[in-house]
Amino acid sequence: MTQLRWGQATDTGQVRSINQDSMHADAPLFVVADGMGGHRGGEVASAVAIETLLGSLAEPSTAALVESVQIANGTVFQRAQDDAELRGMGTTLCAVALVSDEAGERLGLVNVGDSRVYLLRGGALSQLTEDHSLVESLVRQGRITEDEALVHPQRNILTRALGISASVDVDAWEMPAVTGDRYLLCSDGLFNEVEPPVIEATLRKLADPSEAAHELVRLANEGGGRDNITAVVLDVVEGAGAAATATRMTAAAEPDLGSLGAPADTAPQPVVALPPTPAAEAEAAAATGVADVATDVGGLAGGDPPPVASPSSAEPERKRRRVTWRVLVFLVVLVSLVGGVGWLVSSYASGSYFVAFDGDEVVIEQGRPGGFLFWEPSIEQRTGTVRDELRPVAVERVEAESSQGSLGEAEDLVQNLERTSSKPGA
Ligand code: MG
């Protein structure tokens, strides 16, 4: 049985007057949602999303978790449609849930928006989720650098959020439940104020998950507290899983920012094919500019990019798998090329014949006169005709060792030479 321990903390921060973040931390489900939208919109969106998620999660599976996130999306979307004051509200949502089936217990992860799930494993922090933000997409496509992303005028625009359109694509992964793994779910108010190395050090230093969560929130406030801050720290106290790569369950498409985004190799093959939710992405990208008004004040301003902190754990493992795949393709191409070239050389080297002397005997050899690369000619036929039986002109002809296109041509040549020689019967 997997045993979990957790702690959580949230705070309005130093600038905002209300806390639009919501969270839930109780086994088997851990959620952080960062609401956005004017008036009470953001608050309502994040709270309704978590409430709906909790109420609709029918079974402990990642597929059910994804489905519940989609139901939550529909509920927030409908509320926003029905209430003029809430129109345009939306929320991010990331969640970790203990899931199980006959294969055993695992952790299911889902994400929509730019709240994050980090993993601390072996003392090293890695970011498991990908932000669904405009600048993150542009960086991934190589259109802007990470430095440019920091000052990008649209750095607070999300490309995916709950409640913006009738359907939403949900990123999902599964992780083995590994004893000693520590998960951090947090809103951008944390990682925009606290650098990943500091997050990592704090998570390593404080064994108690509640203390760690409170300390992270305190550090974010100390760093400026320009946004609402939420942290949920989840420890796998006892787990049956062996350390392994995260399995991404849905390879959700990138937003409508061009076909260069999301190359296939950034999305590991899904182990469970979940029905796609087409059109959600484009609509979300178009609409979230409206939904994200609440983060204008200070959401990302002054924050540092939160790159993966250290080269280990799940994210690097994903990269390693990508590298392995590329290496494999490279090797296959290389072997094919070498094989192809080898075949050509072999065909060229062995595809012709010539007449020569072996000692004093006239023979037909297969190959190129003098050999070609590492293909040496070999005697194909002995004729029994010796040098002394040939006229000088024939000897010269044999010594010239000229290539013949086929064995037949070589045999014709030998016959011609013998006809002009003194060989009996010629
Ligand atoms: Mg926020």
Side-chain angles (χ1 to χ4, degrees):
M1 277 294 279
T2 302
Q3 281 183 36
L4 304 173
R5 185 174 57 158
W6 57 90
Q8 71 271 23
T10 187
D11 193 75
T12 305
Q14 305 297 302
V15 174
R16 304 287 177 90
S17 56
I18 50 170
N19 191 350
Q20 298 189 314
D21 287 359
S22 293
M23 64 180 179
H24 171 83
D26 196 6
L29 185 60
F30 304 85
V31 195
V32 165
D34 178 351
M36 57 204 85
H39 303 290
R40 291 176 49 249
E43 242 182 311
V44 173
S46 63
V48 166
I50 291 184
E51 211 174 278
T52 311
L53 184 67
L54 283 168
S56 63
L57 190 59
E59 57 170 47
S61 75
T62 307
L65 188 60
V66 170
E67 204 174 306
S68 291
V69 173
Q70 283 162 341
I71 292 169
N73 173 72
T75 306
V76 175
F77 180 65
Q78 200 52 54
R79 282 285 294 274
Q81 298 302 301
D82 294 346
D83 187 336
E85 286 219 327
L86 300 176
R87 194 143 300 156
M89 72 175 178
T91 184
T92 72
L93 187 146
C94 64
V96 175
L98 185 63
V99 299
S100 63
D101 56 21
E102 54 284 357
E105 289 180 321
R106 298 178 301 284
L107 292 170
L109 273 67
V110 287
N111 181 53
V112 176
D114 70 347
S115 294
R116 290 181 180 173
V117 180
Y118 288 95
L119 169 66
L120 184 82
R121 176 180 287 171
L125 188 73
S126 56
Q127 184 185 329
L128 297 179
T129 50
E130 278 174 10
D131 296 348
H132 302 136
S133 63
L134 179 68
V135 290
E136 191 61 32
S137 299
L138 293 175
V139 168
R140 278 204 294 273
Q141 290 171 22
R143 294 200 195 178
I144 61 169
T145 65
E146 289 196 356
D147 285 341
E148 286 167 341
L150 273 178
V151 294
H152 198 281
Q154 291 172 304
R155 62 187 175 275
N156 56 336
I157 303 286
L158 294 184
T159 51
R160 255 196 259 176
L162 263 62
I164 304 307
S165 67
S167 64
V168 70
D169 280 348
V170 181
D171 285 354
W173 300 262
E174 283 193 344
M175 297 288 289
V178 177
T179 305
D181 275 359
R182 170 170 268 193
Y183 290 84
L184 167 67
L185 293 76
C186 61
S187 59
D188 63 345
L190 175 63
F191 60 76
N192 282 329
E193 303 289 10
V194 187
E195 300 249 16
V198 179
I199 295 177
E200 181 186 277
T202 306
L203 290 172
R204 286 165 63 162
K205 187 176 66 183
L206 298 171
D208 183 85
S210 178
E211 267 180 51
H214 281 90
E215 176 62 6
L216 287 171
V217 169
R218 190 193 68 75
L219 287 168
N221 269 321
E222 197 178 75
R226 280 159 282 197
D227 194 2
N228 307 142
I229 313 148
T230 300
V232 172
V233 176
L234 173 65
D235 288 340
V236 181
V237 177
E238 195 181 315
T245 310
T247 304
R248 186 168 183 159
M249 298 191 67
T250 54
E254 274 296 278
D256 58 336
L257 296 167
S259 57
L260 290 175
D265 63 353
T266 65
Q269 287 305 301
V271 292
V272 175
L274 295 167
T277 53
E281 202 54 46
E283 288 173 46
T288 33
V290 181
D292 201 28
V293 285
T295 62
D296 279 338
V297 181
L300 292 173
D304 285 307
V308 172
S310 40
S312 79
S313 295
E315 175 65 16
E317 276 175 41
R318 256 196 267 166
K319 283 182 183 157
R320 213 174 301 142
R321 200 199 300 179
R322 205 179 304 160
V323 167
T324 309
W325 170 243
R326 285 184 178 162
V327 166
L328 190 67
V329 169
F330 173 76
L331 284 176
V332 167
V333 170
L334 187 68
V335 166
S336 307
L337 275 176
V338 168
V341 168
W343 181 82
L344 280 174
V345 168
S346 153
S347 303
Y348 174 75
S350 62
S352 82
Y353 296 83
F354 62 98
V355 178
F357 285 116
D358 178 43
D360 274 339
E361 186 185 6
V362 176
V363 295
I364 296 174
E365 299 205 39
Q366 184 183 21
R368 297 275 158 186
F372 180 74
L373 297 179
F374 35 89
W375 268 270
E376 291 295 328
S378 60
I379 295 173
E380 178 70 19
Q381 273 183 29
R382 294 193 165 271
T383 63
T385 305
V386 295
R387 186 185 293 262
D388 290 348
E389 294 170 335
L390 299 179
R391 291 168 193 254
V393 65
V395 170
E396 269 179 41
R397 188 76 203 274
V398 174
E399 285 177 338
E401 296 189 347
S402 59
S403 286
Q404 307 299 310
S406 67
L407 181 60
E409 283 179 34
E411 287 170 339
D412 288 347
L413 175 61
V414 169
Q415 277 182 15
N416 285 334
L417 295 172
E418 287 172 348
R419 226 174 276 143
T420 60
S421 75
S422 59
K423 189 180 178 184

